[in-house]
Amino acid sequence: MSLNINFQEKFEERHIAPTAQDVPEMLEAIGVHSIEQLIEETVPAKIRLKNSLSLPPALSETDYLSKLKQTASKNKVFKSYIGQGYYDVITPGVILRNVFENPGWYTQYTPYQAEIAQGRLQALLNFQTAIIDLTGMEIANASLLDEATAASEAMYMQYSLRKNKVANTFFVSENVFPQTLDVLKTRAVSYGIDLVIGDHRTIELTNDIFGALVQYPAGDGKVYDYSVFADALHANQSTLSVAADIMSLALLAPPGEWGADIVVGSSQRLGVPMGFGGPHAAFFATKEIYKRNIPGRIIGVTIDSAGNYALRMALQTREQHIRRDKASSNICTAQALLAIMAGFYTAYHGPQGIKAIAERIHGLTVLLAKALETLGYKQENETYFDTLTVPLGDLCDPLHAEALNNEMNFRYDGAKVNISIDETTSLAAIKEIVRVFAKIKAKTLADIDFSALENGLESVVPNDLQRTSKYLTHEVFNSYHSEHEMLRYIKSLEAKDLSLCHSMIPLGSCTMKLNATTEMIPVSWEAFSKLHPFAPTDQVGGYMQLISELDQWLSAITGFAKMSFQPNSGAQGEYTGLMVIRAYHEDRGDHHRNVVLIPSSAHGTNPASAAMAGMKIVIVKCDERGNIDVNDLKEKANANRNNLSCLMVTYPSTHGVFEESIIDICQIIHDNGGQVYMDGANMNAQVGLTSPATVGADVCHLNLHKTFCIPHGGGGPGMGPIGVATHLVPYLPGHEVVDINQGKSISAVSAAPFGSASILIISHAYVAMMGAEGLTNATRFAILNANYIKARLENSYKVLYAGTNGRCAHEMILDCRSFKNYGVEVGDIAKRLMDYGFHAPTVSFPVAGTLMVEPTESEPKAELDRFCDALIAIRKEITAIEDGIADKVDNLLKHAPHTLAVISADDWDRPYNRQEAAFPLPYVATRKFWPAVGRVNDSYGDRSLICSCPPLSEYEEVV
């Protein structure tokens, strides 16, 4: 026996699932001899890359983790007292291990199919309820991206609600966090809003001011009574938004009780690590009268087909998929996983626990203030929650140096220092801070009697600003305070959700691929998770190296010059790309170029993002094959040549085809003075075979939560970085706090300079372990898997579009519209698939009455076959209706999904048997996933909107 000592396992072989034995069978079904032939028949020759990607050799999983540990060691985890919206936390181990690090939670998809998403819907409803309770508002959404972008959403909501339609000025307190003001500046530009920045106590409210934003507590830590200001705004027919610290609201009077119309903020303090900026779930709460104006997703209570309590996403007619350019926001994602964590954290601690944490933070801050005063320092804030402001004068530099020597980071503002205390701060840590302050005055801790200072500590918050109202009164926040109870609660909800742990999720345009465990492990490392986004540059060398490497790699993959990692969602990447194009035109004096051409097949975020960027939208037709109508494009580009800003195009197309005219399309736009923005939703069909730069695009956003393996987390987090050609590099987003400016940078688009930086590790790992060959093969196999499904299904379903050679790209559209003749809607097929153990493909997008199917390279042939078998079996069930064998109303599809309660009930009066309903194919019995509820009633829930946890009495009434 010869022994091979040079064997090294390739990660590519773990990521790409079809085996060498599977491939010949798949190729035979498709009708080609090789994968190379399939690619030649699918991807136009003139756009294919001539050379392989310029990337480092692929690393094994073990070698990658070893190398990343060396990179991580370049990060210095100092104790952070910077605050400014980011605080160190204690994530309960039961939540860290069983939610954040659990694929049962992080591989779930957005809960569009509510019956198999009841667990995360309940967890998100808990989050909404906690936010409503703590803010004192009436309705909240299921999270936004970060505090700064939530504030910008609030500004636009106030703008759209203004009673004086010519009012154009928005007041921002000078004590708002600087990163929030930076993002507001960006959003105000595209809407033509004038920002006035000043002191809320002295600002003269004119008729032109439609709204205002204040920070609570203020950016320097002061706690103001804003009630008089709120009253003055309302008398002026204006509205007030409040950016609030969620932890402080356990002690401070909630904004809803003193006049706020909107309350936004970050829920990061509720157990979510800083992670160098994210991901963190922002919250957005408002009055119920604004329920149709609130951006983002809202989880609402309804009933199912049996009249039982059920949940689903409510009021979806507000969203960009339906309203497109008329939508209140372009938001297509959330920070669901992080909101879920925050909700569990709140339930685990309960009202007493949350209050105890808040009191401890406040108490330690008061103690620190007293100790500093004993040393002779003057602390400026008379009222505060967790942040002190200390003028230092000439002592500022010595203090800064001594703090760094002791591995402490404070926030410095000129000759003043701000110190923010958090959940992790101990009494010993307070003494260490005091020791540093004492040393620069040639004193020691012996000069302070801490025992005397600790006795009789009292809150410095005035009585009329202290909270008296109850919060977190629902049973969910008062039941799970032991770890065993919380573990069982988490697992009980997890069991109600279908995720990639159970089966493939074949959603077109969404690419639910493997999120490898090795890619996920480092996200929890303290060297990455405990860094503040505004930590000094020399402390974050590991992150800078990782981001720089990922920048180089993604630039090589896209063919562009540089990436910006600031956009923290795909839709925000779209917006950022358009704002960069806008800045480019304006810098050249072309202020009038504001027309954007968008194909009629475009994703709903495209027109919504264009509207946000202040663009005038012109729709371009598609031909009968689903391609952009080049003649119509040329006509509209010529007609708007003097004002043309750009084209928004998805490639391969939203219809799942590599359009052969793409180079000509890009040239037409360039010939008319415009730029080409490419939507990177389908980048997973390009990597290694072609690139945005190759076909002629100028900017492209990448959905790292799709193509590059960041998991969906039940609807978020995501990252949407943009890559740009050389001429657009100077305009990439800058940042007010961290200098990443490119010379002519637009202002910030998100709160942190590198967006949700901690999850960039996942994509970095994916690229590093796959290498050039592995990434290219991933694309090839994604196309192979898609065409295999097409070959298996096209005798049962009409495939709506295909390329010149009859091939689809990485996805296809199944036309189900003719089934309506027999009473079968596409939604019925989606629900029936649950009985077979599958999440539905994308329903009615981009064509109503269709299913858009997209497998990924990480799905094996056996799973593809199970999925195809299920759809073929459902087609036979439809045929039975067509042939009159099954009733049009009383049939398997109309009653789907079938719950365990239905199947096991004593009574059974349906014209099909229980076996057909619950176990329609042999494989189902061995891996049955039971939907938690029957078909949900959307209209019932929208008619009687309930967006917080109902009291138990109502549960009982519904059930």
Side-chain angles (χ1 to χ4, degrees), residues 536-705:
T537 304
D538 61 0
Q539 295 176 21
V540 294
Y543 260 118
M544 291 301 96
Q545 178 180 328
L546 183 146
I547 291 169
S548 175
E549 289 173 351
L550 191 56
D551 182 1
Q552 295 171 35
W553 300 344
L554 295 182
S555 293
I557 289 167
T558 59
F560 286 134
K562 189 169 181 58
M563 307 293 300
S564 168
F565 292 97
Q566 198 171 126
N568 49 8
S569 79
Q572 195 175 81
E574 293 176 13
Y575 169 72
T576 306
L578 294 175
M579 292 302 288
V580 166
I581 290 172
R582 176 186 176 126
Y584 165 76
H585 284 311
E586 292 192 345
D587 189 45
R588 291 159 54 90
D590 292 339
H591 300 271
H592 53 283
R593 289 194 173 272
N594 66 345
V595 172
V596 57
L597 304 183
I598 303 179
S600 59
S601 63
H603 195 270
T605 55
N606 284 184
S609 295
M612 275 179 55
M615 303 283 190
K616 178 183 176 183
I617 298 164
V618 175
I619 301 299
V620 177
K621 299 175 184 176
C622 288
D623 62 24
E624 67 281 354
R625 296 179 60 191
N627 298 323
I628 292 174
D629 186 325
V630 177
N631 289 330
D632 188 58
L633 174 76
K634 186 179 295 184
E635 178 183 324
K636 287 172 178 170
N638 287 332
N640 292 281
R641 63 177 303 119
N642 294 329
N643 299 311
L644 183 61
S645 172
C646 61
L647 165 75
M648 298 186 79
V649 61
T650 302
Y651 199 74
S653 74
T654 311
H655 292 146
V657 176
F658 283 96
E659 297 187 44
E660 298 194 9
S661 57
I662 186 63
I663 292 177
D664 296 334
I665 286 170
C666 293
Q667 191 60 50
I668 289 168
I669 300 303
H670 290 147
D671 288 346
N672 286 279
Q675 298 284 287
V676 176
Y677 165 84
M678 180 175 285
D679 185 313
N682 296 337
M683 190 67 199
N684 59 307
Q686 290 193 47
V687 177
L689 300 182
T690 185
S691 74
T694 298
V695 304
D698 301 287
V699 55
C700 176
H701 92 268
L702 302 178
N703 288 339
L704 297 190
H705 47 289

Side-chain angles (χ1 to χ4, degrees), residues 799-854:
V799 177
L800 202 52
Y801 302 112
T804 303
N805 298 308
R807 309 299 177 203
C808 64
H810 59 303
E811 62 189 1
M812 76 217 73
I813 298 174
L814 304 181
D815 191 351
C816 304
R817 291 173 293 185
S818 65
F819 304 150
K820 291 186 71 171
N821 297 330
Y822 308 97
V824 176
E825 303 285 347
V826 67
D828 298 326
I829 300 173
K831 304 309 178 187
R832 180 59 174 151
L833 267 170
M834 296 177 192
D835 290 329
Y836 288 82
F838 284 104
H839 193 292
T842 302
V843 176
S844 288
F845 175 81
V847 180
T850 66
L851 295 171
M852 184 159 63
V853 180
E854 179 177 3

Side-chain angles (χ1 to χ4, degrees), residues 244-276:
D245 181 316
I246 196 67
M247 184 62 75
S248 75
L249 300 184
L251 301 184
L252 302 181
E257 293 180 5
W258 46 254
D261 299 287
I262 300 171
V263 185
V264 301
S266 172
S267 63
Q268 184 261 318
R269 293 195 91 151
L270 303 180
V272 181
M274 288 188 287
F276 201 47

